[in-house]
């Protein structure tokens, strides 16, 4: 299997993350912890012998108060809102503080207003990075754990120093337009474009995610989904392959990706450069190819050598990344 047909799973500095394939999720899962807030209540205990000190119990901040605080600190320039359609129905249409591309507005409206919303989670990750909770090569899913809540409601909480950014990756879904990565920044508009490669057989799924880890260099290892015939698929029944080159862990030699039968081809690629991880091991990074602009990877977004460091310098923790099968157009600004 030529090396140019491979990409995507990371052995980062923090954890091993799976890019695409049958291996289980392996990025860090934070266990829920008791939230902490600036508000509190006092529970009086019955006096025993002498005077008893009242017990201080911390109250859980509401989701609305967390969102409001992120908005006040400039990490989340979005308000949950609706508009009325021609037939009088309420239509989800979250409001930005300033005009944004139509594709960004569609992406915003696609997600419930909850702690799982990628734009809200991205705001939390940015807050972690700016306020020293997340280290230079750390990993975060944007969860409201104790350290985040303590720092968020502290008087010393720092505001977002970055202008709002958004990554828009458009796939070549049967169109003549090549696959591209675009970066939009508030106050500047579209500031960067480059050709890229996404995953074969649709292994880079549509949706909005967030940059949860950044590494200037790392090792990527896993299995590449090589398309095969149904006859070859049946012939692989019961066979196993390593989960990556050199691994003692084994898995089935065959699988399904996007409804297509595949053979899993193990790989282990050190020195992958300028990596922004955005979805369970999928990342935006440099990978050597003969050409760019069409699906070739195992799920990552691959960039040319000259473009990858530019993208890496422009991005930061928590930036939303939208993957779309729609064609790109610069005439996409929403003015309503």
């Amino acid at each position: 299997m030529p090396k140019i047909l491979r990409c995507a799973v990371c052995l980062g500095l923090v954890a091993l993350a799976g890019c695409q394939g049958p291996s289980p999720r392996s990025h860090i899962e934070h266990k829920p912890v008791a939230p902490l807030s600036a508000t509190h209540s006092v529970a009086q205990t019955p006096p025993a012998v002498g005077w008893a000190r009242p017990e201080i119990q911390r109250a859980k901040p509401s989701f609305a108060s967390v969102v409001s605080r992120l908005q006040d600190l400039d990490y989340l320039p979005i308000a949950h809102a609706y508009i009325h359609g021609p037939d009088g129905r309420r239509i989800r249409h979250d409001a930005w503080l300033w005009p944004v591309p139509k594709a960004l507005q569609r992406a915003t409206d696609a997600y419930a207003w909850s702690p799982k919303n990628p734009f809200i989670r991205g705001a939390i990750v940015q807050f972690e990075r700016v306020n020293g909770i997340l280290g230079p090569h750390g990993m975060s899913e944007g969860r409201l754990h104790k350290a985040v809540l303590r720092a968020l409601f502290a008087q010393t909480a720092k505001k977002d120093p970055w202008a709002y950014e958004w990554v828009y990756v458009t796939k070549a879904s049967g169109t003549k337009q090549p696959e591209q990565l675009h970066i939009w920044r508030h106050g500047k508009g579209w500031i960067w474009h480059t050709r890229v490669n996404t995953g074969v057989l649709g292994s880079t799924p549509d949706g909005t995610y967030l940059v949860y880890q950044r590494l200037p260099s790392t090792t990527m290892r896993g299995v590449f989904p090589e398309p095969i015939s149904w006859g070859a698929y049946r012939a692989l029944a019961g066979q196993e392959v390593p989960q990556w080159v050199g691994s003692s862990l084994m898995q089935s030699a065959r699988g399904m990706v996007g409804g297509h039968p595949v053979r899993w081809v193990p790989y282990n690629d050190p020195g992958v450069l300028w990596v922004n991880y955005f979805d369970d091991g999928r990342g935006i990074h440099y990978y050597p190819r003969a050409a760019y602009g069409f699906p070739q990877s195992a799920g990552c977004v691959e960039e040319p050598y000259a473009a990858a460091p530019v993208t890496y310098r422009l991005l930061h923790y928590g930036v939303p990344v939208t993957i779309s099968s729609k064609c790109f157009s610069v005439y996409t600004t929403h003015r309503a």
Side-chain angles (χ1 to χ4, degrees):
M1 176 79 198
K3 182 176 179 181
I4 62 171
L5 287 179
R6 295 177 279 154
C7 159
V9 177
C10 155
L11 177 60
L13 299 182
V14 179
L16 172 64
C19 185
Q20 178 69 18
S23 57
R25 288 170 60 100
S26 54
H27 64 270
I28 295 176
E29 294 286 349
H30 301 287
K31 294 182 179 179
V33 294
L36 185 66
S37 169
T39 60
H40 65 272
S41 59
V42 178
Q44 299 288 347
T45 57
V49 177
W51 179 81
R53 182 185 299 274
E55 179 183 349
I56 304 298
Q57 295 181 342
R58 299 289 183 177
K60 179 179 179 180
S62 67
F63 176 63
S65 67
V66 169
V67 167
S68 178
R69 184 65 170 156
L70 289 170
Q71 292 168 335
D72 291 343
L73 295 173
D74 300 332
Y75 292 93
L76 188 66
I78 317 169
H80 188 43
Y82 293 84
I83 59 174
H84 291 282
D87 57 357
R89 290 186 302 109
R90 288 205 316 165
I91 302 172
R92 170 77 181 279
H93 192 76
D94 289 344
W96 287 81
L97 295 183
W98 6 258
V100 299
K102 290 182 180 178
L104 176 52
Q105 182 68 62
R106 286 195 303 267
T108 310
D109 294 340
Y111 291 89
W113 197 249
S114 74
K116 295 182 179 181
N117 185 300
F119 294 94
I120 297 174
R121 289 172 55 218
I124 294 169
V125 173
Q126 285 191 35
F127 175 83
E128 289 181 285
R129 184 71 177 92
V130 172
N131 287 269
I133 300 170
L134 185 62
H137 300 315
M139 180 185 295
S140 174
E141 293 182 338
R143 295 187 176 183
L144 293 169
H145 55 79
K146 181 187 293 186
V148 170
L149 292 172
R150 181 187 294 115
L152 186 62
F153 289 98
Q155 293 183 351
T156 54
K158 298 178 182 177
K159 288 195 171 186
D160 192 348
W162 297 304
Y164 198 89
E165 286 185 338
W166 172 59
V167 177
Y168 188 41
V169 176
T170 49
K171 299 190 293 187
S173 182
T175 67
K176 294 182 180 180
Q177 188 179 77
E179 296 192 317
Q180 296 174 304
L181 177 146
H182 321 268
I183 298 179
W184 181 88
R185 178 183 290 171
H186 168 54
K188 298 290 186 178
W190 297 106
I191 61 172
W192 177 241
H193 308 268
T194 180
R195 290 195 179 196
V196 295
N197 305 322
T198 64
V200 298
L201 304 176
S203 54
T204 310
D206 288 3
T208 297
Y209 311 93
L210 57 120
V211 175
Y212 66 85
Q213 187 181 34
R214 286 165 46 80
L215 298 172
S217 179
T218 190
T219 295
M220 291 190 167
R221 61 191 193 182
V223 287
F224 181 87
E226 181 182 272
I228 57 176
S229 67
W230 283 107
Y233 178 85
R234 288 189 290 270
L236 290 173
Q239 298 186 34
E240 293 187 328
V241 297
Q243 291 188 3
W244 60 85
V245 172
S247 174
S248 60
L249 302 175
M250 304 298 289
Q251 64 171 59
S252 174
R254 66 180 190 176
M256 299 290 295
V257 175
H260 299 276
V262 300
R263 173 191 293 112
W264 295 115
V265 180
Y267 64 90
N268 189 337
D269 294 333
V272 179
L273 302 176
W274 305 303
V275 184
N276 286 278
Y277 283 104
F278 63 88
D279 175 35
D280 196 21
R282 296 181 181 90
I284 301 167
H285 61 82
Y286 163 65
Y287 198 81
R289 299 286 185 183
Y292 297 85
F294 56 96
Q296 299 180 67
S297 79
C300 286
V301 177
E302 301 172 341
E303 299 178 284
Y305 183 83
V310 177
T311 300
Y312 191 81
R313 287 195 300 269
L314 290 173
L315 299 185
H316 49 265
Y317 276 92
V319 171
V321 177
T322 297
I323 310 295
S324 175
S325 298
K326 294 183 178 295
C327 289
F328 175 78
S329 171
V330 295
Y331 302 105
T332 56
T333 303
H334 173 71
R335 295 292 182 182

